[in-house]
Amino acid sequence: MTNNRLILAFESSCDETSVAVVRNGNEILSNVVSSQIKSHQRFGGVVPEIASRHHVEQITYVIEQALTEADKTIEEMDAIAVTEGPGLVGALLIGVSAAKALAFTHDKPLIGVHHIEGHILANQLIEPLNYPLIALVVSGGHTELVYMKNNHSFEIIGETRDDAAGEAYDKVGRTMGLTYPGGAKIDQLAAEGEDTYNFPRAMLHEDNLDFSFSGLKSAFINTIHNKEQRNEPIDKANFAASFQAAVVDVLVGKTMRALEKYPVKQLLMAGGVAANQGLRTGLTVALTERFSDVKLIIPPLSLCGDNAAMIGAAADMLFEQGEFRGMDMNARPGFMFEQH
């Protein structure tokens, strides 16, 4: 392995335009993220057409800024990497097209990265990964437990059967009248309230590692609507605390069960909901009490959301395996997260 392998990475799967320069898969030289949150807030969620247009407007500036901050040129890059999927097809196409254009023009290897593998391997930007390990992935439409016996192996040992935790947060946030994205605001409100509603902990006691959050979402929405119809006061802090307690109990409970079945050295948090303070605290406490020999790695907030540095980290692994793509690579909005 070269001591100075540089990868220029792109991420544009949803509503962040991001470009990064990553060295050797574990050092961030730059990680520029242009967020579109304000553009989508008035709609209560991401509008795909608007997201795509913003990516077109921002991509050139973000590339220039990433290279400037890293003090590098495209000629110095060893490869160009990009999120291939999953995501919004129009948004993905902007990143894929930009990456292919640069790879073709400058005769650089092209690497396609799965978005979720990027979230998991973002943790190697914090400290070296020590296998075997388990990653709890909580990102948008994904809630999964992934077992990795080495850095080339991803085995899905548990996954959601319906709504993912992130989707439930978004829908609950809209029901509460919170501005998009609602997850962070629910987390803040939860810290001020108490679990007074005791919402269902679906599948918590079933002998498997799968998840289900649609019942929790429905129970929450029905309870809110029932109170509104009766003109009863709604304590948003207690509602948020009750919802979050149910989500955290299930995520932590299933993760502890996974650690019982799969002895590992590290537990990784991955994805946007990894920024949730309630989940961070719950996992930290449970791990200290039950598996004190397992190291918990929690990404900083800058690496929880969508960003290109995580794509660069995953791409470095693919570079070592010689997994390069041709100019026929296309966006894959329905790219399944497959074990390998």
Side-chain angles (χ1 to χ4, degrees):
M1 174 177 170
T2 176
N3 292 323
N4 198 31
R5 180 158 63 221
L6 298 174
I7 292 180
L8 181 69
F10 291 77
E11 156 58 31
S12 67
S13 64
C14 191
D15 60 343
E16 276 91 19
T17 311
S18 182
V19 180
V21 177
V22 175
R23 178 157 50 203
N24 296 331
N26 58 20
E27 182 183 356
I28 300 173
L29 301 189
S30 65
N31 187 25
V32 180
V33 180
S34 175
S35 177
Q36 306 174 11
I37 286 178
K38 290 184 178 179
S39 296
H40 298 285
Q41 277 181 337
R42 66 183 183 274
F43 303 107
V46 178
V47 180
E49 175 66 18
I50 293 175
S52 301
R53 290 178 181 272
H54 276 298
H55 287 308
V56 172
E57 293 169 359
Q58 294 295 318
I59 191 75
T60 302
Y61 300 111
V62 176
I63 293 170
E64 292 175 354
Q65 187 176 348
L67 290 169
T68 299
E69 288 186 10
D71 193 24
K72 300 294 180 183
T73 65
I74 292 178
E75 284 71 24
E76 294 177 89
M77 298 298 116
D78 292 286
I80 311 293
V82 63
T83 301
E84 193 175 355
L88 303 174
V89 62
L92 288 166
L93 278 169
I94 308 306
V96 168
S97 298
K100 286 169 65 174
L102 290 179
F104 179 79
T105 305
H106 297 273
D107 194 25
K108 301 292 183 182
L110 179 65
I111 302 172
V113 176
H114 191 287
H115 185 77
I116 299 303
E117 292 186 14
H119 273 303
I120 293 172
L121 293 175
N123 286 280
Q124 73 183 26
L125 296 165
I126 307 165
E127 61 180 271
L129 301 186
N130 196 3
Y131 301 94
L133 60 81
I134 285 176
L136 171 62
V137 180
V138 197
S139 169
H142 291 262
T143 302
E144 287 129 356
L145 284 163
V146 181
Y147 175 74
M148 296 183 66
K149 62 183 177 182
N150 56 55
N151 67 341
H152 305 318
S153 169
F154 296 84
E155 180 185 352
I156 301 170
I157 58 176
E159 59 189 335
T160 187
R161 297 185 182 179
D162 42 56
D163 282 14
E167 291 173 319
Y169 266 99
D170 287 341
K171 292 171 183 175
V172 161
R174 285 197 293 271
T175 302
M176 293 177 68
L178 303 177
T179 55
Y180 171 84
K185 297 175 180 64
I186 291 173
D187 191 21
Q188 293 166 3
L189 282 169
E192 304 168 6
E194 298 179 358
D195 179 9
T196 58
Y197 291 98
N198 193 30
F199 288 122
R201 273 68 166 165
M203 299 179 65
L204 179 58
H205 300 295
E206 293 186 15
D207 188 22
N208 58 54
L209 299 176
D210 289 341
F211 305 92
S212 169
F213 294 102
S214 65
L216 167 61
K217 175 201 67 180
S218 297
F220 182 96
I221 293 173
N222 289 339
T223 305
I224 284 268
H225 287 169
N226 187 267
K227 280 189 165 292
E228 289 175 342
Q229 289 165 359
R230 297 183 181 190
N231 290 319
E232 294 177 1
I234 294 174
D235 188 323
K236 289 189 175 182
N238 284 350
F239 263 105
S242 300
F243 170 77
Q244 180 148 298
V247 173
V248 171
D249 282 354
V250 171
L251 291 174
V252 172
K254 292 287 186 171
T255 302
M256 294 304 106
R257 183 170 296 165
L259 293 175
E260 291 172 355
K261 294 185 176 183
Y262 295 83
V264 296
K265 298 175 181 177
Q266 291 178 335
L267 172 64
L268 315 182
M269 292 182 69
V273 186
N276 184 283
Q277 191 57 51
L279 179 57
R280 287 171 174 239
T281 301
L283 277 177
T284 300
V285 171
L287 210 59
T288 301
E289 292 176 349
R290 299 182 57 184
F291 298 95
S292 58
D293 58 330
V294 177
K295 176 70 178 294
L296 176 63
I297 304 180
I298 304 176
L301 296 183
S302 61
L303 294 177
C304 289
D306 294 347
N307 69 92
M310 71 183 196
I311 303 305
D316 193 80
M317 175 193 73
L318 296 171
F319 189 107
E320 285 190 343
Q321 296 174 248
E323 293 191 20
F324 303 119
R325 305 300 301 277
M327 286 299 119
D328 59 345
M329 184 179 78
N330 202 351
R332 298 175 66 182
F335 196 1
M336 297 296 292
F337 182 36
E338 300 170 348
Q339 49 193 47
H340 54 85

